[in-house]
Short mmCIF file of all heavy atoms in Angstrom, two decimals:
data_model
loop_
_atom_site.label_atom_id
_atom_site.label_comp_id
_atom_site.label_asym_id
_atom_site.label_seq_id
_atom_site.Cartn_x
_atom_site.Cartn_y
_atom_site.Cartn_z
N LEU A 34 109.12 138.33 78.44
CA LEU A 34 107.85 138.61 79.12
C LEU A 34 107.99 139.18 80.53
O LEU A 34 107.23 140.02 81.03
CB LEU A 34 106.95 137.33 79.18
CG LEU A 34 106.36 137.02 77.88
CD1 LEU A 34 105.89 135.62 77.76
CD2 LEU A 34 105.19 138.01 77.61
N THR A 35 109.17 138.87 81.16
CA THR A 35 109.50 139.54 82.43
C THR A 35 109.77 141.05 82.21
O THR A 35 109.24 141.88 82.91
CB THR A 35 110.70 138.88 83.10
OG1 THR A 35 110.51 137.43 83.20
CG2 THR A 35 110.98 139.45 84.52
N SER A 37 108.66 142.72 79.71
CA SER A 37 107.40 143.32 79.29
C SER A 37 106.66 143.87 80.61
O SER A 37 106.18 144.99 80.62
CB SER A 37 106.57 142.31 78.56
OG SER A 37 105.19 142.64 78.56
N ARG A 41 106.36 147.88 81.56
CA ARG A 41 104.99 148.46 81.67
C ARG A 41 104.71 149.04 83.06
O ARG A 41 104.10 150.02 83.13
CB ARG A 41 103.93 147.32 81.26
CG ARG A 41 102.68 148.04 80.81
CD ARG A 41 101.57 147.10 80.51
NE ARG A 41 101.23 146.15 81.57
CZ ARG A 41 101.51 144.86 81.52
NH1 ARG A 41 102.02 144.39 80.44
NH2 ARG A 41 101.20 144.09 82.49
N ILE A 52 106.25 141.60 73.99
CA ILE A 52 104.94 140.83 74.06
C ILE A 52 104.83 139.89 72.82
O ILE A 52 104.41 138.73 72.97
CB ILE A 52 103.80 141.77 74.20
CG1 ILE A 52 103.90 142.66 75.46
CG2 ILE A 52 102.46 140.99 74.27
CD1 ILE A 52 103.00 143.80 75.46
N PRO A 56 105.53 134.60 71.15
CA PRO A 56 104.76 133.72 70.32
C PRO A 56 105.32 133.41 68.93
O PRO A 56 105.18 132.25 68.39
CB PRO A 56 103.46 134.52 70.11
CG PRO A 56 103.41 135.46 71.22
CD PRO A 56 104.82 135.80 71.50
N SER A 73 114.21 109.86 71.28
CA SER A 73 114.18 109.52 72.71
C SER A 73 112.84 108.92 73.17
O SER A 73 112.65 108.70 74.37
CB SER A 73 114.52 110.77 73.56
OG SER A 73 113.56 111.80 73.23
N ILE A 77 103.98 111.85 72.70
CA ILE A 77 102.89 111.13 73.34
C ILE A 77 102.33 110.22 72.32
O ILE A 77 102.10 110.49 71.14
CB ILE A 77 101.85 112.17 73.76
CG1 ILE A 77 102.40 113.04 74.85
CG2 ILE A 77 100.52 111.41 74.25
CD1 ILE A 77 101.40 114.09 75.31
N VAL A 79 100.00 106.10 72.09
CA VAL A 79 99.22 105.07 72.86
C VAL A 79 100.18 103.88 72.95
O VAL A 79 100.41 103.16 72.04
CB VAL A 79 97.90 104.70 72.14
CG1 VAL A 79 97.19 103.64 72.87
CG2 VAL A 79 97.07 105.94 72.03
N LEU A 81 99.96 100.91 73.76
CA LEU A 81 99.20 99.65 73.98
C LEU A 81 99.88 98.46 73.35
O LEU A 81 100.24 97.47 74.02
CB LEU A 81 97.81 99.86 73.39
CG LEU A 81 96.73 98.89 73.73
CD1 LEU A 81 96.48 98.92 75.32
CD2 LEU A 81 95.42 99.16 73.05
N PRO A 83 102.99 97.89 72.13
CA PRO A 83 104.25 97.40 72.58
C PRO A 83 104.27 96.60 73.85
O PRO A 83 105.22 95.83 74.04
CB PRO A 83 105.15 98.79 72.79
CG PRO A 83 104.40 99.77 71.99
CD PRO A 83 103.05 99.34 71.90
N VAL A 98 106.03 101.92 62.56
CA VAL A 98 105.86 103.31 63.13
C VAL A 98 106.84 104.28 62.43
O VAL A 98 106.45 105.41 62.02
CB VAL A 98 106.15 103.26 64.63
CG1 VAL A 98 106.20 104.69 65.20
CG2 VAL A 98 104.97 102.54 65.32
N GLU A 115 105.97 124.50 50.25
CA GLU A 115 105.08 125.23 49.37
C GLU A 115 104.44 126.38 50.10
O GLU A 115 104.32 127.47 49.52
CB GLU A 115 104.02 124.22 48.82
CG GLU A 115 104.51 123.27 47.78
CD GLU A 115 103.55 122.22 47.40
OE1 GLU A 115 102.35 122.29 47.76
OE2 GLU A 115 103.94 121.24 46.72
N PHE A 146 110.40 119.33 59.89
CA PHE A 146 110.07 118.11 59.23
C PHE A 146 111.21 117.52 58.49
O PHE A 146 111.35 116.30 58.33
CB PHE A 146 108.79 118.18 58.46
CG PHE A 146 107.55 118.18 59.27
CD1 PHE A 146 106.91 119.32 59.64
CD2 PHE A 146 107.14 116.93 59.87
CE1 PHE A 146 105.80 119.30 60.51
CE2 PHE A 146 106.06 116.91 60.71
CZ PHE A 146 105.33 118.01 61.01
N LEU B 15 98.60 101.25 66.91
CA LEU B 15 100.00 100.74 66.63
C LEU B 15 101.13 101.67 67.11
O LEU B 15 102.27 101.58 66.68
CB LEU B 15 100.13 100.47 65.17
CG LEU B 15 99.21 99.26 64.67
CD1 LEU B 15 99.40 99.07 63.19
CD2 LEU B 15 99.53 98.01 65.34
N SER B 16 100.78 102.63 68.00
CA SER B 16 101.70 103.48 68.71
C SER B 16 102.45 104.45 67.85
O SER B 16 103.60 104.86 68.15
CB SER B 16 102.77 102.62 69.41
OG SER B 16 102.12 101.78 70.33
N ILE B 19 101.08 110.62 68.47
CA ILE B 19 99.72 111.18 68.32
C ILE B 19 99.74 112.38 67.37
O ILE B 19 98.79 112.62 66.56
CB ILE B 19 99.02 111.46 69.62
CG1 ILE B 19 98.66 110.16 70.29
CG2 ILE B 19 97.81 112.37 69.50
CD1 ILE B 19 98.11 110.16 71.68
N GLU B 39 97.32 123.49 51.33
CA GLU B 39 98.26 123.15 52.50
C GLU B 39 98.46 124.40 53.30
O GLU B 39 98.60 124.43 54.50
CB GLU B 39 99.58 122.57 52.12
CG GLU B 39 99.52 121.33 51.29
CD GLU B 39 99.74 121.60 49.78
OE1 GLU B 39 99.55 122.74 49.41
OE2 GLU B 39 100.11 120.61 49.11
N PHE B 47 99.64 127.47 62.68
CA PHE B 47 100.58 128.48 63.32
C PHE B 47 99.73 129.46 64.14
O PHE B 47 100.22 129.92 65.24
CB PHE B 47 101.33 129.20 62.29
CG PHE B 47 102.67 128.51 61.94
CD1 PHE B 47 102.64 127.22 61.49
CD2 PHE B 47 103.88 129.15 62.16
CE1 PHE B 47 103.79 126.57 61.19
CE2 PHE B 47 105.04 128.48 61.93
CZ PHE B 47 105.04 127.12 61.39
N THR B 51 100.57 129.95 68.21
CA THR B 51 101.25 131.15 68.65
C THR B 51 100.17 132.08 69.39
O THR B 51 100.46 133.30 69.43
CB THR B 51 101.87 131.93 67.45
OG1 THR B 51 100.73 132.12 66.41
CG2 THR B 51 102.94 131.13 66.75
N HIS B 53 98.74 134.01 72.27
CA HIS B 53 99.48 134.60 73.40
C HIS B 53 99.25 133.85 74.68
O HIS B 53 100.17 133.63 75.44
CB HIS B 53 99.19 136.10 73.51
CG HIS B 53 100.22 136.79 74.24
ND1 HIS B 53 100.29 136.99 75.51
CD2 HIS B 53 101.36 137.43 73.73
CE1 HIS B 53 101.35 137.62 75.87
NE2 HIS B 53 102.02 137.95 74.77
N LEU B 60 106.27 128.67 80.11
CA LEU B 60 106.79 129.47 81.26
C LEU B 60 106.47 128.92 82.56
O LEU B 60 107.30 128.94 83.49
CB LEU B 60 106.29 130.93 81.12
CG LEU B 60 106.67 131.63 79.74
CD1 LEU B 60 106.15 132.99 79.64
CD2 LEU B 60 108.17 131.61 79.54
N LEU B 231 97.72 143.27 87.23
CA LEU B 231 99.04 143.84 87.07
C LEU B 231 99.71 143.09 85.95
O LEU B 231 100.54 143.62 85.22
CB LEU B 231 99.87 143.69 88.33
CG LEU B 231 99.42 144.49 89.56
CD1 LEU B 231 100.17 144.16 90.74
CD2 LEU B 231 99.57 146.03 89.23
N GLU B 236 102.85 136.85 81.39
CA GLU B 236 103.85 137.63 82.28
C GLU B 236 104.00 137.04 83.62
O GLU B 236 105.09 136.92 84.14
CB GLU B 236 103.39 139.06 82.28
CG GLU B 236 103.60 139.77 80.93
CD GLU B 236 103.01 141.17 80.89
OE1 GLU B 236 102.26 141.48 81.85
OE2 GLU B 236 103.24 141.91 79.95
N ILE B 243 111.45 133.74 86.97
CA ILE B 243 112.54 134.57 87.46
C ILE B 243 112.60 134.45 88.98
O ILE B 243 113.66 134.36 89.56
CB ILE B 243 112.40 136.08 86.99
CG1 ILE B 243 112.46 136.14 85.49
CG2 ILE B 243 113.43 136.96 87.64
CD1 ILE B 243 113.77 135.81 84.81
N ARG B 270 111.77 120.69 75.71
CA ARG B 270 111.29 119.32 75.33
C ARG B 270 109.82 119.09 75.63
O ARG B 270 109.09 118.62 74.81
CB ARG B 270 112.15 118.26 75.99
CG ARG B 270 113.59 118.14 75.39
CD ARG B 270 114.41 117.18 76.16
NE ARG B 270 113.94 115.79 76.04
CZ ARG B 270 114.30 114.97 75.07
NH1 ARG B 270 115.11 115.39 74.16
NH2 ARG B 270 113.80 113.79 75.01
N MET B 281 99.27 120.07 65.19
CA MET B 281 98.61 119.16 64.30
C MET B 281 97.11 118.94 64.50
O MET B 281 96.34 118.64 63.71
CB MET B 281 99.32 117.76 64.40
CG MET B 281 100.74 117.87 63.81
SD MET B 281 100.73 118.49 62.17
CE MET B 281 102.37 118.20 61.61
N PRO B 370 95.67 100.17 80.22
CA PRO B 370 97.12 99.97 80.02
C PRO B 370 97.95 101.26 79.94
O PRO B 370 99.18 101.21 80.12
CB PRO B 370 97.19 99.17 78.67
CG PRO B 370 95.99 99.69 77.96
CD PRO B 370 94.91 100.02 79.01
#
Side-chain angles (χ1 to χ4, degrees):
Chain A
L34 284 161
T35 307
S37 158
R41 203 181 54 249
I52 301 166
S73 58
I77 296 176
V79 179
L81 195 61
V98 170
E115 285 172 13
F146 281 100
Chain B
L15 292 177
S16 303
I19 288 174
E39 303 102 338
F47 271 60
T51 56
H53 203 271
L60 302 177
L231 295 171
E236 287 171 351
I243 297 291
R270 286 175 67 86
M281 292 305 189

